[in-house]
Amino acid sequence: MNDGHHLAELNVGRLIAPTDDPRVAEFMNALDRINGMGKRMPGFVWMMEGSGEPGTGNTETKIGGDPQFVANLTVWEDVESLETFVWKTVHRQFYERRQEWFEVLGQVHFVMWWVPAGHRPTLDDGLARLDHLRDHGDSHHAFGWSHLQQARLWRTRGCNGAVA
C-alpha cells in the first residue's frame, strides 16, 4: 500500500536499568545521533519526540508509568525507506546489540500499520495496534515485516522477536 498512505511503526522495549545508569549509557549516548540520522533519511516523515533534552530521545515517554519501558514511534513514506534506515545504517549495529541494554520481553514488541499521509499517530494508537498484533497475528490492521511483500532486508538481516 502507498496510495496516499505512509507506514507507521512502533517499537517498545524495557531497559535493563534506569536511563541514567551506566549499564545503558552507551545506548542513551547514541540516541541523538541515531534519531538525528533517521530524521535525515530519505523517506522519513515524522517521529514522536520527547522533551528535546540532549541524550533522552523518546525515553521520557513512559508506558504504563514504568520509567524503564520506552517506545519509538515513527512514520515513513514507504517500506523501503524504513528498511534502509533499520538495516543499512549504523542503526543496525545498535539493533544487533539490543540485548545489552534491553530485557527479553518474550512477546512481540514491534508493529507496523498504514496511516493516511499527514496523520501523526499517538503512542496509544501504536500500543493498540501492538495489542491487536499480539492477539490476532498479522493483518491489514497491524503487522510485522513478514506481512509486507516489498520488505526484503529483514529476511537476511534478521529479527529476534523476543528482544526489544
Side-chain angles (χ1 to χ4, degrees), residues 1-61:
M1 175 184 280
N2 245 17
D3 289 346
H5 285 80
H6 289 156
L7 184 65
E9 69 80 25
L10 174 69
N11 189 14
V12 300
R14 189 168 192 282
L15 293 166
I16 61 168
T19 56
D20 60 354
D21 189 289
R23 292 174 288 173
V24 296
E26 187 178 6
F27 173 80
M28 295 301 297
N29 292 337
L31 280 175
D32 291 342
R33 180 169 58 110
I34 301 298
N35 288 343
M37 181 187 59
K39 292 177 190 178
R40 293 187 302 275
M41 293 291 297
F44 172 83
V45 175
W46 174 82
M47 174 185 284
M48 177 179 69
E49 300 280 359
S51 68
E53 283 293 313
T56 61
N58 300 328
T59 59
E60 296 160 324
T61 305

Side-chain angles (χ1 to χ4, degrees), residues 79-154:
V79 174
E80 296 81 5
S81 298
L82 176 58
E83 269 200 308
T84 297
F85 171 68
V86 170
W87 305 114
K88 288 188 170 182
T89 69
V90 69
H91 174 277
R92 179 179 177 195
Q93 295 169 17
F94 283 87
Y95 176 83
E96 290 174 345
R97 295 177 57 203
R98 65 199 179 278
Q99 69 281 353
E100 295 177 35
W101 306 298
F102 288 92
E103 295 179 0
V104 174
L105 295 179
Q107 60 184 343
V108 175
H109 65 275
F110 174 78
V111 64
M112 295 179 282
W113 69 101
W114 295 105
V115 296
H119 177 73
R120 303 295 179 255
T122 66
L123 180 57
D124 286 342
D125 294 338
L127 292 172
R129 298 284 178 150
L130 183 58
D131 285 343
H132 189 276
L133 178 61
R134 288 173 176 165
D135 292 345
H136 304 287
D138 286 329
S139 67
H140 183 70
H141 187 74
F143 46 86
W145 290 113
S146 64
H147 189 72
L148 297 168
Q149 289 183 343
Q150 62 272 54
R152 303 271 185 253
L153 297 175
W154 72 274

